[in-house]
Amino acid sequence: MTRLLEFDEVEPDTDCICPGCNARRRARLHAAAVQDGGHAAAHSVRRRAAVLFAAVGTVLGGGAAAAAAPTPGGSSSTPAPRTPQGEVTGRFGGDPAGGTARLQPVQGITREQIIARAQGWVDQKVPYSMSANWSDGYRQDCSGYVSMAWGLAASETTWTLPGLADRITKDELQPGDVLIFNNPSNPQAGSHVTIFGGWADTARTSYLAYEQTSPATIRRTTPYAYWSNSAGYLPYRYKALSPGGTDGSTDPGTGTGTDPGTGTGSSSDGTGQSTAFPGADTFGPGRSNDYITRLGQMLVQRGGGRFYTEGPGPTWGEADRRATEAFQLAQGWTGAEADGLPGRDTWDHLVTGKGKDIGGGSPPPPVTPAPGTPPTAPPATGVPAFPGADKFTPGQSNSYVQQLGEQLVRKGFGRYYSQGPGPRWSESDRLNTRAFQLSLGWSGDEADGYPGPDTWRRLFG
């Protein structure tokens, strides 16, 4: 049988201190107004609700069937954030400063300091909690994490953070900005915020997200704008962001000369920029972020300017790889230690000024040979020049395709050839190339089976 029950829900006394009443008062406090998309139930004192109970039974034996609750935020294949958040609190859980005083942004924090502070919690694997405070005083939930990264005076919420930020567009996003989702129907447990760490691909369909979620702080590649409720996430930029950086002497959140987010070591290299290594996945084909620009600038200062015809810029290119490789070789590193991709040691040498500069300086000016002098052949490098990606596409037939296939076989990546290799591009060429790319640890667009300059260099190098 099926029956419809109606009941009146009466607002409890305002002085009731039970957890349920406290939670409901917090929900009303943070809920959006009805005209802004909020739910009327969050703003009324008395409401009527209809609850449908379905009971299924038989004459000979009783039974009940309950419908499975839908997965919050989307299908089970896309993770929904488990990030209930606490109320606005001061550092270490104390009472925050008064309204307008609390909302006065701290001046002078840079993008790199924000990312360094965010990385600090990732390194420490700070456990998720909506009530506990970490050793730096910030609440261990998603909004407390952003408050810590921005160096705020209090642990804010996803509903109050926009008051300290400017609304921006997707195209304007840069590392240190945030993406906020506020859910009016569940303001405490249904909202979330992530820190934008840079685009993970040139098409800007995914980004590196710094995120405080259960069980602990993580940094991961995330589809834009999020795994679930994607359309509801809005980008914001901290109002007090410093465009040029500080003197590096002060941690904006603590007033101490420590490494933001970790409490140890020096906070900058003397330019106001953090020395923290941003991670190996920040660099390489398909990456575009501010750290690549900074890497190039440091390499130019250490003698790598001759590798750049323009820039350095935020999108990873062959010039960045060659300059990095030259710097690594100058330190006496070989093999995997000189692959042209910066690791922690390479980054540390560059930001602290350690090690040797890149030898050779600028290219020498051209020398006009004396009349009758035979031309000098250029030295062999062992790696043939990359002929261009357009030579390796369906329908192409040329000597470069055969050259590629023969080298793949020599390297042990020819198992997809049933005959050949030959001059016409085939699916066998693509599968063997992909197998070689996967052996380098590449994935996604970097291992699509179509050779680019890096694939070519590593294959013939």
Side-chain angles (χ1 to χ4, degrees), residues 115-150:
I115 296 300
R117 292 169 70 89
Q119 182 64 40
W121 275 29
V122 173
D123 294 340
Q124 298 170 82
K125 296 179 174 61
V126 175
Y128 183 88
S129 174
M130 63 178 290
S131 58
N133 294 78
W134 193 237
S135 57
D136 54 18
Y138 291 95
R139 192 177 59 248
Q140 295 165 218
D141 58 16
C142 64
S143 48
Y145 179 47
V146 172
S147 301
M148 178 279 300
W150 281 1

PDB file of all heavy atoms in Angstrom, residues 115-150:
ATOM      1  N   ILE A 115      51.066  28.900  -3.893  1.00  0.00           N
ATOM      2  CA  ILE A 115      51.255  27.513  -4.306  1.00  0.00           C
ATOM      3  C   ILE A 115      52.207  26.793  -3.354  1.00  0.00           C
ATOM      4  O   ILE A 115      52.011  25.608  -3.030  1.00  0.00           O
ATOM      5  CB  ILE A 115      51.781  27.449  -5.753  1.00  0.00           C
ATOM      6  CG1 ILE A 115      50.725  28.017  -6.721  1.00  0.00           C
ATOM      7  CG2 ILE A 115      52.135  26.021  -6.137  1.00  0.00           C
ATOM      8  CD1 ILE A 115      49.398  27.276  -6.707  1.00  0.00           C
ATOM      9  N   ALA A 116      53.239  27.489  -2.890  1.00  0.00           N
ATOM     10  CA  ALA A 116      54.170  26.865  -1.946  1.00  0.00           C
ATOM     11  C   ALA A 116      53.470  26.499  -0.642  1.00  0.00           C
ATOM     12  O   ALA A 116      53.714  25.437  -0.063  1.00  0.00           O
ATOM     13  CB  ALA A 116      55.351  27.804  -1.672  1.00  0.00           C
ATOM     14  N   ARG A 117      52.614  27.397  -0.164  1.00  0.00           N
ATOM     15  CA  ARG A 117      51.867  27.103   1.062  1.00  0.00           C
ATOM     16  C   ARG A 117      50.916  25.928   0.836  1.00  0.00           C
ATOM     17  O   ARG A 117      50.783  25.040   1.689  1.00  0.00           O
ATOM     18  CB  ARG A 117      51.096  28.352   1.505  1.00  0.00           C
ATOM     19  CG  ARG A 117      51.987  29.486   1.987  1.00  0.00           C
ATOM     20  CD  ARG A 117      51.210  30.786   2.151  1.00  0.00           C
ATOM     21  NE  ARG A 117      50.286  30.749   3.267  1.00  0.00           N
ATOM     22  CZ  ARG A 117      50.575  31.094   4.527  1.00  0.00           C
ATOM     23  NH1 ARG A 117      51.812  31.480   4.812  1.00  0.00           N
ATOM     24  NH2 ARG A 117      49.678  31.055   5.473  1.00  0.00           N
ATOM     25  N   ALA A 118      50.258  25.900  -0.321  1.00  0.00           N
ATOM     26  CA  ALA A 118      49.358  24.789  -0.644  1.00  0.00           C
ATOM     27  C   ALA A 118      50.135  23.478  -0.718  1.00  0.00           C
ATOM     28  O   ALA A 118      49.680  22.445  -0.222  1.00  0.00           O
ATOM     29  CB  ALA A 118      48.634  25.071  -1.950  1.00  0.00           C
ATOM     30  N   GLN A 119      51.307  23.502  -1.342  1.00  0.00           N
ATOM     31  CA  GLN A 119      52.128  22.307  -1.452  1.00  0.00           C
ATOM     32  C   GLN A 119      52.585  21.821  -0.081  1.00  0.00           C
ATOM     33  O   GLN A 119      52.787  20.622   0.131  1.00  0.00           O
ATOM     34  CB  GLN A 119      53.335  22.581  -2.350  1.00  0.00           C
ATOM     35  CG  GLN A 119      54.254  21.385  -2.579  1.00  0.00           C
ATOM     36  CD  GLN A 119      53.574  20.261  -3.324  1.00  0.00           C
ATOM     37  OE1 GLN A 119      52.822  20.501  -4.259  1.00  0.00           O
ATOM     38  NE2 GLN A 119      53.824  19.027  -2.916  1.00  0.00           N
ATOM     39  N   GLY A 120      52.758  22.753   0.865  1.00  0.00           N
ATOM     40  CA  GLY A 120      53.170  22.372   2.213  1.00  0.00           C
ATOM     41  C   GLY A 120      52.220  21.373   2.845  1.00  0.00           C
ATOM     42  O   GLY A 120      52.650  20.387   3.456  1.00  0.00           O
ATOM     43  N   TRP A 121      50.917  21.612   2.697  1.00  0.00           N
ATOM     44  CA  TRP A 121      49.939  20.661   3.252  1.00  0.00           C
ATOM     45  C   TRP A 121      49.936  19.358   2.463  1.00  0.00           C
ATOM     46  O   TRP A 121      49.718  18.291   3.033  1.00  0.00           O
ATOM     47  CB  TRP A 121      48.545  21.293   3.259  1.00  0.00           C
ATOM     48  CG  TRP A 121      48.271  22.129   4.477  1.00  0.00           C
ATOM     49  CD1 TRP A 121      49.171  22.801   5.223  1.00  0.00           C
ATOM     50  CD2 TRP A 121      46.977  22.370   5.065  1.00  0.00           C
ATOM     51  NE1 TRP A 121      48.533  23.465   6.252  1.00  0.00           N
ATOM     52  CE2 TRP A 121      47.201  23.221   6.179  1.00  0.00           C
ATOM     53  CE3 TRP A 121      45.691  21.985   4.748  1.00  0.00           C
ATOM     54  CZ2 TRP A 121      46.151  23.668   6.984  1.00  0.00           C
ATOM     55  CZ3 TRP A 121      44.647  22.427   5.552  1.00  0.00           C
ATOM     56  CH2 TRP A 121      44.873  23.260   6.666  1.00  0.00           C
ATOM     57  N   VAL A 122      50.175  19.429   1.154  1.00  0.00           N
ATOM     58  CA  VAL A 122      50.262  18.201   0.361  1.00  0.00           C
ATOM     59  C   VAL A 122      51.426  17.344   0.861  1.00  0.00           C
ATOM     60  O   VAL A 122      51.289  16.134   1.058  1.00  0.00           O
ATOM     61  CB  VAL A 122      50.437  18.528  -1.140  1.00  0.00           C
ATOM     62  CG1 VAL A 122      50.695  17.254  -1.951  1.00  0.00           C
ATOM     63  CG2 VAL A 122      49.210  19.248  -1.679  1.00  0.00           C
ATOM     64  N   ASP A 123      52.582  17.973   1.076  1.00  0.00           N
ATOM     65  CA  ASP A 123      53.764  17.247   1.547  1.00  0.00           C
ATOM     66  C   ASP A 123      53.532  16.630   2.921  1.00  0.00           C
ATOM     67  O   ASP A 123      54.008  15.534   3.212  1.00  0.00           O
ATOM     68  CB  ASP A 123      54.972  18.180   1.599  1.00  0.00           C
ATOM     69  CG  ASP A 123      55.406  18.656   0.225  1.00  0.00           C
ATOM     70  OD1 ASP A 123      55.049  17.997  -0.773  1.00  0.00           O
ATOM     71  OD2 ASP A 123      56.089  19.694   0.143  1.00  0.00           O
ATOM     72  N   GLN A 124      52.798  17.353   3.778  1.00  0.00           N
ATOM     73  CA  GLN A 124      52.558  16.872   5.131  1.00  0.00           C
ATOM     74  C   GLN A 124      51.350  15.942   5.237  1.00  0.00           C
ATOM     75  O   GLN A 124      51.081  15.391   6.295  1.00  0.00           O
ATOM     76  CB  GLN A 124      52.359  18.066   6.074  1.00  0.00           C
ATOM     77  CG  GLN A 124      53.586  18.969   6.170  1.00  0.00           C
ATOM     78  CD  GLN A 124      53.273  20.254   6.922  1.00  0.00           C
ATOM     79  OE1 GLN A 124      53.269  20.271   8.154  1.00  0.00           O
ATOM     80  NE2 GLN A 124      52.986  21.323   6.194  1.00  0.00           N
ATOM     81  N   LYS A 125      50.615  15.803   4.114  1.00  0.00           N
ATOM     82  CA  LYS A 125      49.418  14.941   4.094  1.00  0.00           C
ATOM     83  C   LYS A 125      48.487  15.274   5.256  1.00  0.00           C
ATOM     84  O   LYS A 125      48.116  14.421   6.063  1.00  0.00           O
ATOM     85  CB  LYS A 125      49.818  13.467   4.119  1.00  0.00           C
ATOM     86  CG  LYS A 125      50.610  13.016   2.895  1.00  0.00           C
ATOM     87  CD  LYS A 125      50.982  11.549   2.995  1.00  0.00           C
ATOM     88  CE  LYS A 125      51.638  11.062   1.691  1.00  0.00           C
ATOM     89  NZ  LYS A 125      52.879  11.809   1.390  1.00  0.00           N
ATOM     90  N   VAL A 126      48.104  16.539   5.318  1.00  0.00           N
ATOM     91  CA  VAL A 126      47.265  17.010   6.423  1.00  0.00           C
ATOM     92  C   VAL A 126      45.913  16.298   6.385  1.00  0.00           C
ATOM     93  O   VAL A 126      45.207  16.361   5.367  1.00  0.00           O
ATOM     94  CB  VAL A 126      47.071  18.539   6.327  1.00  0.00           C
ATOM     95  CG1 VAL A 126      46.105  19.027   7.411  1.00  0.00           C
ATOM     96  CG2 VAL A 126      48.420  19.244   6.455  1.00  0.00           C
ATOM     97  N   PRO A 127      45.515  15.632   7.460  1.00  0.00           N
ATOM     98  CA  PRO A 127      44.232  14.914   7.461  1.00  0.00           C
ATOM     99  C   PRO A 127      43.056  15.884   7.361  1.00  0.00           C
ATOM    100  O   PRO A 127      43.108  17.004   7.872  1.00  0.00           O
ATOM    101  CB  PRO A 127      44.230  14.186   8.827  1.00  0.00           C
ATOM    102  CG  PRO A 127      45.640  14.229   9.296  1.00  0.00           C
ATOM    103  CD  PRO A 127      46.257  15.463   8.718  1.00  0.00           C
ATOM    104  N   TYR A 128      41.997  15.426   6.700  1.00  0.00           N
ATOM    105  CA  TYR A 128      40.809  16.256   6.558  1.00  0.00           C
ATOM    106  C   TYR A 128      40.023  16.294   7.856  1.00  0.00           C
ATOM    107  O   TYR A 128      39.810  15.270   8.499  1.00  0.00           O
ATOM    108  CB  TYR A 128      39.915  15.744   5.434  1.00  0.00           C
ATOM    109  CG  TYR A 128      38.718  16.636   5.238  1.00  0.00           C
ATOM    110  CD1 TYR A 128      38.802  17.728   4.397  1.00  0.00           C
ATOM    111  CD2 TYR A 128      37.545  16.422   5.950  1.00  0.00           C
ATOM    112  CE1 TYR A 128      37.735  18.580   4.248  1.00  0.00           C
ATOM    113  CE2 TYR A 128      36.473  17.262   5.807  1.00  0.00           C
ATOM    114  CZ  TYR A 128      36.563  18.343   4.957  1.00  0.00           C
ATOM    115  OH  TYR A 128      35.515  19.197   4.825  1.00  0.00           O
ATOM    116  N   SER A 129      39.586  17.481   8.267  1.00  0.00           N
ATOM    117  CA  SER A 129      38.727  17.630   9.442  1.00  0.00           C
ATOM    118  C   SER A 129      38.028  18.971   9.367  1.00  0.00           C
ATOM    119  O   SER A 129      38.652  19.985   9.037  1.00  0.00           O
ATOM    120  CB  SER A 129      39.528  17.547  10.743  1.00  0.00           C
ATOM    121  OG  SER A 129      38.699  17.832  11.858  1.00  0.00           O
ATOM    122  N   MET A 130      36.721  19.000   9.689  1.00  0.00           N
ATOM    123  CA  MET A 130      35.987  20.254   9.700  1.00  0.00           C
ATOM    124  C   MET A 130      36.010  20.912  11.072  1.00  0.00           C
ATOM    125  O   MET A 130      35.460  21.995  11.245  1.00  0.00           O
ATOM    126  CB  MET A 130      34.542  20.037   9.263  1.00  0.00           C
ATOM    127  CG  MET A 130      33.741  19.131  10.168  1.00  0.00           C
ATOM    128  SD  MET A 130      32.021  18.944   9.650  1.00  0.00           S
ATOM    129  CE  MET A 130      31.373  20.573  10.021  1.00  0.00           C
ATOM    130  N   SER A 131      36.680  20.261  12.046  1.00  0.00           N
ATOM    131  CA  SER A 131      36.713  20.827  13.398  1.00  0.00           C
ATOM    132  C   SER A 131      38.125  21.015  13.932  1.00  0.00           C
ATOM    133  O   SER A 131      38.367  21.904  14.746  1.00  0.00           O
ATOM    134  CB  SER A 131      35.918  19.927  14.358  1.00  0.00           C
ATOM    135  OG  SER A 131      36.444  18.608  14.357  1.00  0.00           O
ATOM    136  N   ALA A 132      39.078  20.192  13.466  1.00  0.00           N
ATOM    137  CA  ALA A 132      40.442  20.294  13.981  1.00  0.00           C
ATOM    138  C   ALA A 132      41.211  21.397  13.260  1.00  0.00           C
ATOM    139  O   ALA A 132      40.875  21.794  12.146  1.00  0.00           O
ATOM    140  CB  ALA A 132      41.154  18.957  13.808  1.00  0.00           C
ATOM    141  N   ASN A 133      42.261  21.885  13.909  1.00  0.00           N
ATOM    142  CA  ASN A 133      43.150  22.893  13.331  1.00  0.00           C
ATOM    143  C   ASN A 133      44.555  22.322  13.232  1.00  0.00           C
ATOM    144  O   ASN A 133      45.037  21.675  14.159  1.00  0.00           O
ATOM    145  CB  ASN A 133      43.166  24.164  14.185  1.00  0.00           C
ATOM    146  CG  ASN A 133      41.829  24.870  14.196  1.00  0.00           C
ATOM    147  OD1 ASN A 133      40.907  24.462  14.895  1.00  0.00           O
ATOM    148  ND2 ASN A 133      41.704  25.908  13.412  1.00  0.00           N
ATOM    149  N   TRP A 134      45.208  22.588  12.106  1.00  0.00           N
ATOM    150  CA  TRP A 134      46.568  22.105  11.902  1.00  0.00           C
ATOM    151  C   TRP A 134      47.541  22.936  12.723  1.00  0.00           C
ATOM    152  O   TRP A 134      47.155  23.932  13.340  1.00  0.00           O
ATOM    153  CB  TRP A 134      46.901  22.134  10.413  1.00  0.00           C
ATOM    154  CG  TRP A 134      48.147  21.374  10.031  1.00  0.00           C
ATOM    155  CD1 TRP A 134      49.238  21.856   9.385  1.00  0.00           C
ATOM    156  CD2 TRP A 134      48.403  19.995  10.265  1.00  0.00           C
ATOM    157  NE1 TRP A 134      50.167  20.873   9.194  1.00  0.00           N
ATOM    158  CE2 TRP A 134      49.687  19.712   9.738  1.00  0.00           C
ATOM    159  CE3 TRP A 134      47.686  18.963  10.889  1.00  0.00           C
ATOM    160  CZ2 TRP A 134      50.264  18.441   9.804  1.00  0.00           C
ATOM    161  CZ3 TRP A 134      48.277  17.691  10.944  1.00  0.00           C
ATOM    162  CH2 TRP A 134      49.541  17.450  10.413  1.00  0.00           C
ATOM    163  N   SER A 135      48.815  22.535  12.723  1.00  0.00           N
ATOM    164  CA  SER A 135      49.810  23.211  13.545  1.00  0.00           C
ATOM    165  C   SER A 135      49.993  24.678  13.183  1.00  0.00           C
ATOM    166  O   SER A 135      50.484  25.466  13.994  1.00  0.00           O
ATOM    167  CB  SER A 135      51.158  22.479  13.430  1.00  0.00           C
ATOM    168  OG  SER A 135      51.582  22.416  12.077  1.00  0.00           O
ATOM    169  N   ASP A 136      49.604  25.074  11.958  1.00  0.00           N
ATOM    170  CA  ASP A 136      49.704  26.485  11.569  1.00  0.00           C
ATOM    171  C   ASP A 136      48.459  27.275  11.975  1.00  0.00           C
ATOM    172  O   ASP A 136      48.350  28.470  11.704  1.00  0.00           O
ATOM    173  CB  ASP A 136      49.949  26.623  10.066  1.00  0.00           C
ATOM    174  CG  ASP A 136      48.917  25.877   9.219  1.00  0.00           C
ATOM    175  OD1 ASP A 136      47.837  25.538   9.757  1.00  0.00           O
ATOM    176  OD2 ASP A 136      49.192  25.621   8.039  1.00  0.00           O
ATOM    177  N   GLY A 137      47.474  26.600  12.582  1.00  0.00           N
ATOM    178  CA  GLY A 137      46.312  27.288  13.126  1.00  0.00           C
ATOM    179  C   GLY A 137      45.079  27.270  12.254  1.00  0.00           C
ATOM    180  O   GLY A 137      44.019  27.728  12.685  1.00  0.00           O
ATOM    181  N   TYR A 138      45.169  26.741  11.034  1.00  0.00           N
ATOM    182  CA  TYR A 138      44.030  26.794  10.122  1.00  0.00           C
ATOM    183  C   TYR A 138      43.188  25.520  10.201  1.00  0.00           C
ATOM    184  O   TYR A 138      43.726  24.423  10.394  1.00  0.00           O
ATOM    185  CB  TYR A 138      44.499  27.022   8.687  1.00  0.00           C
ATOM    186  CG  TYR A 138      45.066  28.409   8.457  1.00  0.00           C
ATOM    187  CD1 TYR A 138      46.442  28.632   8.536  1.00  0.00           C
ATOM    188  CD2 TYR A 138      44.234  29.485   8.182  1.00  0.00           C
ATOM    189  CE1 TYR A 138      46.975  29.905   8.333  1.00  0.00           C
ATOM    190  CE2 TYR A 138      44.755  30.753   7.969  1.00  0.00           C
ATOM    191  CZ  TYR A 138      46.116  30.956   8.060  1.00  0.00           C
ATOM    192  OH  TYR A 138      46.631  32.211   7.871  1.00  0.00           O
ATOM    193  N   ARG A 139      41.874  25.699  10.048  1.00  0.00           N
ATOM    194  CA  ARG A 139      40.957  24.571  10.075  1.00  0.00           C
ATOM    195  C   ARG A 139      41.244  23.642   8.894  1.00  0.00           C
ATOM    196  O   ARG A 139      41.497  24.093   7.781  1.00  0.00           O
ATOM    197  CB  ARG A 139      39.511  25.071  10.017  1.00  0.00           C
ATOM    198  CG  ARG A 139      38.451  24.025  10.324  1.00  0.00           C
ATOM    199  CD  ARG A 139      37.047  24.619  10.304  1.00  0.00           C
ATOM    200  NE  ARG A 139      36.722  25.207   9.003  1.00  0.00           N
ATOM    201  CZ  ARG A 139      36.563  26.509   8.795  1.00  0.00           C
ATOM    202  NH1 ARG A 139      36.665  27.361   9.796  1.00  0.00           N
ATOM    203  NH2 ARG A 139      36.274  26.956   7.581  1.00  0.00           N
ATOM    204  N   GLN A 140      41.161  22.343   9.123  1.00  0.00           N
ATOM    205  CA  GLN A 140      41.627  21.359   8.159  1.00  0.00           C
ATOM    206  C   GLN A 140      40.539  20.914   7.179  1.00  0.00           C
ATOM    207  O   GLN A 140      40.438  19.737   6.830  1.00  0.00           O
ATOM    208  CB  GLN A 140      42.207  20.153   8.902  1.00  0.00           C
ATOM    209  CG  GLN A 140      43.457  20.481   9.693  1.00  0.00           C
ATOM    210  CD  GLN A 140      43.820  19.402  10.697  1.00  0.00           C
ATOM    211  OE1 GLN A 140      44.276  19.708  11.803  1.00  0.00           O
ATOM    212  NE2 GLN A 140      43.629  18.134  10.359  1.00  0.00           N
ATOM    213  N   ASP A 141      39.719  21.864   6.710  1.00  0.00           N
ATOM    214  CA  ASP A 141      38.740  21.554   5.678  1.00  0.00           C
ATOM    215  C   ASP A 141      39.079  22.347   4.418  1.00  0.00           C
ATOM    216  O   ASP A 141      40.092  23.060   4.372  1.00  0.00           O
ATOM    217  CB  ASP A 141      37.310  21.828   6.165  1.00  0.00           C
ATOM    218  CG  ASP A 141      37.104  23.277   6.590  1.00  0.00           C
ATOM    219  OD1 ASP A 141      37.942  24.137   6.230  1.00  0.00           O
ATOM    220  OD2 ASP A 141      36.105  23.561   7.279  1.00  0.00           O
ATOM    221  N   CYS A 142      38.237  22.247   3.376  1.00  0.00           N
ATOM    222  CA  CYS A 142      38.588  22.836   2.087  1.00  0.00           C
ATOM    223  C   CYS A 142      38.737  24.350   2.156  1.00  0.00           C
ATOM    224  O   CYS A 142      39.655  24.920   1.576  1.00  0.00           O
ATOM    225  CB  CYS A 142      37.568  22.429   1.023  1.00  0.00           C
ATOM    226  SG  CYS A 142      35.885  23.027   1.313  1.00  0.00           S
ATOM    227  N   SER A 143      37.834  25.018   2.868  1.00  0.00           N
ATOM    228  CA  SER A 143      37.908  26.481   2.950  1.00  0.00           C
ATOM    229  C   SER A 143      39.014  26.930   3.905  1.00  0.00           C
ATOM    230  O   SER A 143      39.622  27.985   3.703  1.00  0.00           O
ATOM    231  CB  SER A 143      36.554  27.056   3.385  1.00  0.00           C
ATOM    232  OG  SER A 143      36.032  26.371   4.499  1.00  0.00           O
ATOM    233  N   GLY A 144      39.298  26.123   4.947  1.00  0.00           N
ATOM    234  CA  GLY A 144      40.433  26.433   5.813  1.00  0.00           C
ATOM    235  C   GLY A 144      41.746  26.311   5.070  1.00  0.00           C
ATOM    236  O   GLY A 144      42.686  27.074   5.305  1.00  0.00           O
ATOM    237  N   TYR A 145      41.807  25.347   4.146  1.00  0.00           N
ATOM    238  CA  TYR A 145      43.005  25.141   3.326  1.00  0.00           C
ATOM    239  C   TYR A 145      43.282  26.361   2.448  1.00  0.00           C
ATOM    240  O   TYR A 145      44.414  26.856   2.372  1.00  0.00           O
ATOM    241  CB  TYR A 145      42.791  23.894   2.476  1.00  0.00           C
ATOM    242  CG  TYR A 145      43.922  23.525   1.544  1.00  0.00           C
ATOM    243  CD1 TYR A 145      45.243  23.492   1.972  1.00  0.00           C
ATOM    244  CD2 TYR A 145      43.659  23.149   0.227  1.00  0.00           C
ATOM    245  CE1 TYR A 145      46.271  23.114   1.123  1.00  0.00           C
ATOM    246  CE2 TYR A 145      44.672  22.762  -0.629  1.00  0.00           C
ATOM    247  CZ  TYR A 145      45.973  22.749  -0.181  1.00  0.00           C
ATOM    248  OH  TYR A 145      46.992  22.367  -1.028  1.00  0.00           O
ATOM    249  N   VAL A 146      42.247  26.882   1.789  1.00  0.00           N
ATOM    250  CA  VAL A 146      42.425  28.080   0.965  1.00  0.00           C
ATOM    251  C   VAL A 146      42.780  29.276   1.837  1.00  0.00           C
ATOM    252  O   VAL A 146      43.625  30.106   1.470  1.00  0.00           O
ATOM    253  CB  VAL A 146      41.150  28.358   0.142  1.00  0.00           C
ATOM    254  CG1 VAL A 146      41.242  29.707  -0.559  1.00  0.00           C
ATOM    255  CG2 VAL A 146      40.926  27.256  -0.883  1.00  0.00           C
ATOM    256  N   SER A 147      42.159  29.381   3.016  1.00  0.00           N
ATOM    257  CA  SER A 147      42.484  30.475   3.935  1.00  0.00           C
ATOM    258  C   SER A 147      43.955  30.430   4.313  1.00  0.00           C
ATOM    259  O   SER A 147      44.627  31.471   4.385  1.00  0.00           O
ATOM    260  CB  SER A 147      41.615  30.364   5.193  1.00  0.00           C
ATOM    261  OG  SER A 147      40.241  30.422   4.876  1.00  0.00           O
ATOM    262  N   MET A 148      44.484  29.223   4.552  1.00  0.00           N
ATOM    263  CA  MET A 148      45.901  29.069   4.863  1.00  0.00           C
ATOM    264  C   MET A 148      46.760  29.464   3.669  1.00  0.00           C
ATOM    265  O   MET A 148      47.729  30.219   3.794  1.00  0.00           O
ATOM    266  CB  MET A 148      46.177  27.611   5.259  1.00  0.00           C
ATOM    267  CG  MET A 148      47.641  27.286   5.558  1.00  0.00           C
ATOM    268  SD  MET A 148      48.688  26.986   4.099  1.00  0.00           S
ATOM    269  CE  MET A 148      47.847  25.583   3.342  1.00  0.00           C
ATOM    270  N   ALA A 149      46.405  28.975   2.467  1.00  0.00           N
ATOM    271  CA  ALA A 149      47.218  29.263   1.285  1.00  0.00           C
ATOM    272  C   ALA A 149      47.242  30.751   0.969  1.00  0.00           C
ATOM    273  O   ALA A 149      48.270  31.285   0.541  1.00  0.00           O
ATOM    274  CB  ALA A 149      46.679  28.470   0.084  1.00  0.00           C
ATOM    275  N   TRP A 150      46.126  31.428   1.195  1.00  0.00           N
ATOM    276  CA  TRP A 150      46.062  32.870   0.948  1.00  0.00           C
ATOM    277  C   TRP A 150      46.618  33.690   2.110  1.00  0.00           C
ATOM    278  O   TRP A 150      46.732  34.908   2.004  1.00  0.00           O
ATOM    279  CB  TRP A 150      44.611  33.282   0.676  1.00  0.00           C
ATOM    280  CG  TRP A 150      44.152  32.984  -0.715  1.00  0.00           C
ATOM    281  CD1 TRP A 150      44.865  32.384  -1.708  1.00  0.00           C
ATOM    282  CD2 TRP A 150      42.874  33.285  -1.273  1.00  0.00           C
ATOM    283  NE1 TRP A 150      44.103  32.283  -2.846  1.00  0.00           N
ATOM    284  CE2 TRP A 150      42.879  32.832  -2.617  1.00  0.00           C
ATOM    285  CE3 TRP A 150      41.712  33.887  -0.771  1.00  0.00           C
ATOM    286  CZ2 TRP A 150      41.781  32.969  -3.458  1.00  0.00           C
ATOM    287  CZ3 TRP A 150      40.615  34.017  -1.612  1.00  0.00           C
ATOM    288  CH2 TRP A 150      40.654  33.570  -2.944  1.00  0.00           C
TER     289      TRP A 150
END
